[in-house]
Amino acid sequence: MHSHTTQPVIPVTFNYGATMPAWYDIKKLPYEEKELDVSDVWTSVSQISAIITSEAEAGLPENKIILGEHSRNLPIFWGHGTADSMVTYSCGQNAVKILRELSFKNIDFKTYHGLQHGVDQDEIDDLQLPSFIISLALYAAGSDADTAMSVLPALKYIIVPPRAAQQANGLTLHLQRIIPVTINMQMEMSAWFDIASLTDFDNEDEKGLLSGVQAINEIITAEVDAGTPANKIILGGFSQGCALGLLTGLTTERKLAGLICLSGWLPIRKTAIASMTDHARNLPVFWGHGTKDQVVQYNWGQQSVDILQKSKFKDVTFKSYNMGHEPSSEELRDLKAWLENVFDKS
């Protein structure tokens, strides 16, 4: 079993001094290098180096490990959106310029017009990274999800991030979800639905959630109409995407192959239970959650799984991991084994 170092949770100046997962303090965005705490940055570098050493000692060849950059001979893929309001496009351009001045030989810099602080299908296509059969999440096409996607078996790959219309396997996805999010101080961000609180389950954006469910059901219907049997589709999501994927899986008329719930929760519980289909109780469910999750608390995952079990779900696999709000190598190994078992039965 590999050790897993989670991202530190520290007060961040840019976040009004509130604690959040961060490797080092950021005073403002766009940032200036002189405003960074260099000692914090080097501490983070040491943590990442320790992770690499641990993986190498566990048997993973170093030439199979990809980071953002390491040596001048390594190929680097850099994607950046022109509409990024968090880490501005010019910041990315300047960083790449510095790398080239340092004689980095193989940098592929890609510009994505209109993309904000996220990842879209064009970028995923350029990276040529696989995903779940259907993967949807606030971070579905982000770095953590990409790590999961690259090791998980699937029959067909579709990326469904909550962003503007895009192409995936010939399917046009119209999912514009750049909205003000209450918990993000009403700043606009890519999200499936508004979140007012991560502690108050009586104050959820039911309208936004049900709108997202409708969008995902339309994608599933399009796939079925194109020839993919519903029982070959597994719906999976991380964090906010877990919430939406779970709600969709519980209420859809389609008899799917299973549900993947990573670091999320069951939203609008009364509505979900009241609208639950009879065949949903037969769905195999994989639920992974970190005991140190500082965003979606571990006990929210436990409570959600308890509700499923009390609702007579017959096949729920709940796994706990010593990690924060992120996937881990142990979780991905368990998920891969679960997926293979589901595929064997379907």
Side-chain angles (χ1 to χ4, degrees):
M1 181 185 301
H2 296 254
S3 61
H4 187 73
T5 301
T6 60
Q7 194 174 13
V9 179
I10 61 173
V12 175
T13 305
F14 177 70
N15 197 34
Y16 296 92
T19 58
M20 62 179 285
W23 287 104
Y24 48 82
D25 187 28
I26 299 175
K27 292 183 170 55
K28 69 177 184 178
L29 286 174
Y31 77 88
E32 295 181 13
E33 186 174 352
K34 64 183 180 181
E35 295 175 327
L36 291 178
D37 187 328
V38 177
S39 63
D40 282 352
V41 174
W42 282 112
T43 297
S44 300
V45 170
S46 297
Q47 289 177 310
I48 301 300
S49 296
I51 294 171
I52 295 171
T53 299
S54 175
E55 290 297 310
E57 290 175 348
L60 181 65
E62 291 182 3
N63 63 359
K64 298 296 183 182
I65 299 174
I66 296 178
L67 292 179
E69 64 85 21
H70 178 61
S71 74
R72 291 173 174 84
N73 295 318
L74 277 180
I76 298 174
F77 178 92
W78 192 300
H80 217 115
T82 57
D84 194 326
S85 57
M86 296 287 286
V87 181
T88 61
Y89 179 69
S90 61
C91 285
Q93 286 180 308
N94 291 336
V96 169
K97 180 181 178 182
I98 292 170
L99 291 178
R100 286 175 173 154
E101 289 173 350
L102 292 172
S103 300
F104 277 73
K105 301 173 182 177
N106 188 5
I107 302 176
D108 186 7
F109 180 76
K110 295 283 189 180
T111 298
Y112 300 94
H113 295 283
L115 177 64
Q116 299 198 26
H117 193 61
V119 182
D120 72 359
Q121 185 65 44
D122 289 339
E123 191 169 25
I124 292 296
D125 289 343
D126 290 338
L127 273 170
Q128 297 182 344
L129 292 173
S131 80
F132 303 126
I133 292 178
I134 293 184
S135 175
L136 54 100
L138 179 60
Y139 311 112
S143 57
D144 286 340
D146 293 339
T147 302
M149 294 167 192
S150 65
V151 299
L152 299 179
L155 303 179
K156 186 172 184 179
Y157 304 118
I158 299 176
I159 302 289
V160 189
R163 313 199 194 288
Q166 57 232 242
Q167 289 290 128
N169 291 344
L171 177 64
T172 301
L173 310 177
H174 297 279
L175 295 172
Q176 185 67 39
R177 292 287 191 276
I178 305 297
I179 61 174
V181 176
T182 302
I183 204 171
N184 195 37
M185 297 170 288
Q186 288 295 332
M187 293 174 59
E188 287 193 346
M189 60 181 287
S190 175
W192 285 103
F193 49 87
D194 187 29
I195 300 178
S197 169
L198 283 172
T199 57
D200 183 4
F201 289 114
D202 293 324
N203 188 22
E204 294 186 276
D205 179 17
E206 182 164 344
K207 181 178 178 180
L209 279 156
L210 296 179
S211 174
V213 167
Q214 180 180 354
I216 301 308
N217 271 317
E218 289 173 359
I219 294 170
I220 294 172
T221 296
E223 283 298 297
V224 172
D225 291 346
T228 302
N231 65 358
K232 296 296 183 184
I233 297 176
I234 290 179
L235 199 55
F238 174 84
S239 190
Q240 198 186 43
C242 165
L244 182 58
L246 179 57
L247 183 60
T248 304
L250 297 188
T251 58
T252 183
E253 293 301 318
R254 303 287 184 180
K255 296 181 180 180
L256 305 178
L259 299 174
I260 298 169
C261 303
L262 305 179
S263 302
W265 72 100
L266 174 61
I268 50 174
R269 297 176 176 185
K270 293 180 181 179
T271 300
I273 294 170
S275 305
M276 189 184 302
T277 62
D278 290 336
H279 58 257
R281 294 176 173 85
N282 296 318
L283 282 172
V285 178
F286 179 94
W287 196 300
H289 216 113
T291 57
K292 297 179 180 178
D293 195 324
Q294 64 282 63
V295 179
V296 181
Q297 295 179 15
Y298 177 70
N299 67 334
W300 301 347
Q302 286 181 309
Q303 291 171 17
S304 299
V305 169
D306 286 344
I307 291 172
L308 294 182
Q309 292 172 336
K310 290 176 181 177
S311 299
K312 303 188 185 307
F313 270 68
K314 301 173 182 177
D315 186 3
V316 180
T317 300
F318 180 71
K319 296 281 189 177
S320 301
Y321 302 96
N322 182 29
M323 64 184 189
H325 194 61
E326 60 206 323
S328 72
S329 56
E330 182 184 1
E331 182 180 44
L332 297 183
R333 285 193 296 270
D334 290 342
L335 179 51
K336 183 177 181 180
W338 178 88
L339 273 169
E340 291 170 343
N341 183 55
V342 170
F343 289 150
D344 286 343
K345 292 179 180 178
S346 64

